[in-house]
Amino acid sequence: MALLPILSYPDPRLRTIAKPVKEVTAEIKTLIKDMIETMYDAQGIGLAASQVDQHLQLIVIDLSENKDSPRVFINPKVTPLVEEKQPYEEGCLSVPEVYDSVERPNKVRIEALDENGEKIDEEVEGLLAVCIQHEMDHLNGVIFVDYLSRLKQTRARDKVRKVLKIREKQEAAEAQPQAATNV
Ligand code: K1U
Ligand code: ZN
C-alpha cells in the first residue's frame, strides 16, 4: 500500500470534474486501499479521489472511533431530503488547519456502488450527510472555502501557504541525520 500526496488549496487540479468509474478493476481496488491509508495517515474522516489527483468518482469515509470501518462510495449520487440547511464546522485535508462553518441539508439519500460493485441506497443524517456532501463537492471541483467570504478565502490561502512551509521545514529536519551529541 502507498501514501498518496494530497493536493493543497488553491491547486487548480482540485477544480477538475471527476469522471465515472467504468469498472471496479484491480487498479481501482489498489487506489481505494491507498486512499483509505492516506485518509488515516492524514487523520481525516473522508477523502475524495480528486484530492489525490485521481479524477474519478470515488470517495472513502470512516466515521468510526477506532478507524476500522472504512466505507467506499463509487459513482455516488447525493440527493437532499430536507430543504432546511444546518451549519457544521468543516475542515479539509486540502486546506490544512482551516475550519469554518458551512450550511448544508442535514439529511440526504446516497446512491452509489461499494468496493465490491454492490449497490448502496441509504438515507443518512448528521456527520455522514455533511461529509458525503463535502466529498461530492470535491468530485465537482468545489472546495468548502468557496462558500466563505473573499476575505476568508484569502486568509485560507495564506494559512495553507504558512502550514505547508512549516511542514516542509519539519520534513527536511526529519530527513537530516541526527547531530552528534557531546557526552
Ligand atoms: O475531504 C476532506 O478533506 C476530508 C475532511 C472531511 C470533512 C470533515 C469535516 C466536515 C466535513 C468533511 C476531513 O477529514 S478534515 C479533518 C477532520 O478529521 C475533521 C475536521 C473537522 C471536523 C471533523 C473532522
Ligand atoms: Zn475536503
Side-chain angles (χ1 to χ4, degrees), residues 63-88:
L63 302 182
S64 69
E65 226 169 82
N66 297 330
K67 297 289 159 212
D68 56 2
S69 307
R71 299 217 44 198
V72 177
F73 301 94
I74 298 170
N75 299 338
K77 185 179 154 215
V78 173
T79 319
L81 295 175
V82 288
E83 266 183 36
E84 191 204 340
K85 292 181 179 178
Q86 282 187 21
Y88 192 88

Side-chain angles (χ1 to χ4, degrees), residues 46 48 51 91-95 134-135 138 142-144:
Q51 293 176 276
C92 181
L93 298 176
S94 295
V95 196
H134 175 113
E135 305 308 340
H138 278 304
V142 176
I143 303 162
F144 87 103

Side-chain angles (χ1 to χ4, degrees), residues 134-161:
H134 175 113
E135 305 308 340
M136 280 302 289
D137 273 354
H138 278 304
L139 300 186
N140 291 316
V142 176
I143 303 162
F144 87 103
V145 292
D146 297 348
Y147 298 109
L148 308 178
S149 67
R150 287 268 167 212
L151 177 62
K152 285 187 172 183
Q153 289 175 18
T154 306
R155 283 188 183 151
R157 255 166 225 244
D158 293 346
K159 177 81 185 191
V160 171
R161 211 175 290 142

Side-chain angles (χ1 to χ4, degrees), residues 2-142:
L3 290 182
L4 306 170
I6 298 175
L7 299 177
S8 298
Y9 178 76
D11 193 312
R13 289 171 289 179
L14 285 168
R15 301 301 182 181
T16 312
I17 309 291
K19 294 202 169 97
V21 173
K22 286 188 188 144
E23 202 189 331
V24 185
T25 58
E27 207 180 320
I28 293 289
K29 286 192 175 177
T30 301
L31 174 59
I32 291 169
K33 281 191 187 142
D34 290 346
M35 282 176 61
I36 292 169
E37 195 189 357
T38 302
M39 170 180 69
Y40 289 152
D41 181 73
Q43 285 163 20
I45 54 171
L47 189 70
S50 319
Q51 293 176 276
V52 291
D53 206 17
Q54 298 291 322
H55 302 286
L56 292 168
Q57 293 177 8
L58 181 52
I59 288 168
V60 296
I61 292 178
D62 190 346
L63 302 182
S64 69
E65 226 169 82
N66 297 330
K67 297 289 159 212
D68 56 2
S69 307
R71 299 217 44 198
V72 177
F73 301 94
I74 298 170
N75 299 338
K77 185 179 154 215
V78 173
T79 319
L81 295 175
V82 288
E83 266 183 36
E84 191 204 340
K85 292 181 179 178
Q86 282 187 21
Y88 192 88
E89 190 83 357
E90 297 195 12
C92 181
L93 298 176
S94 295
V95 196
E97 296 184 29
V98 174
Y99 303 91
D100 217 316
S101 180
V102 176
E103 292 194 352
R104 304 184 190 269
N106 194 35
K107 194 171 179 194
V108 298
R109 178 180 181 190
I110 309 175
E111 295 164 271
L113 295 179
D114 70 12
E115 63 275 33
N116 302 311
E118 301 289 333
K119 270 191 185 170
I120 296 171
D121 188 348
E122 286 176 25
E123 291 185 9
V124 304
E125 289 183 66
L127 185 53
L128 182 52
V130 170
C131 195
I132 194 86
Q133 290 176 85
H134 175 113
E135 305 308 340
M136 280 302 289
D137 273 354
H138 278 304
L139 300 186
N140 291 316
V142 176

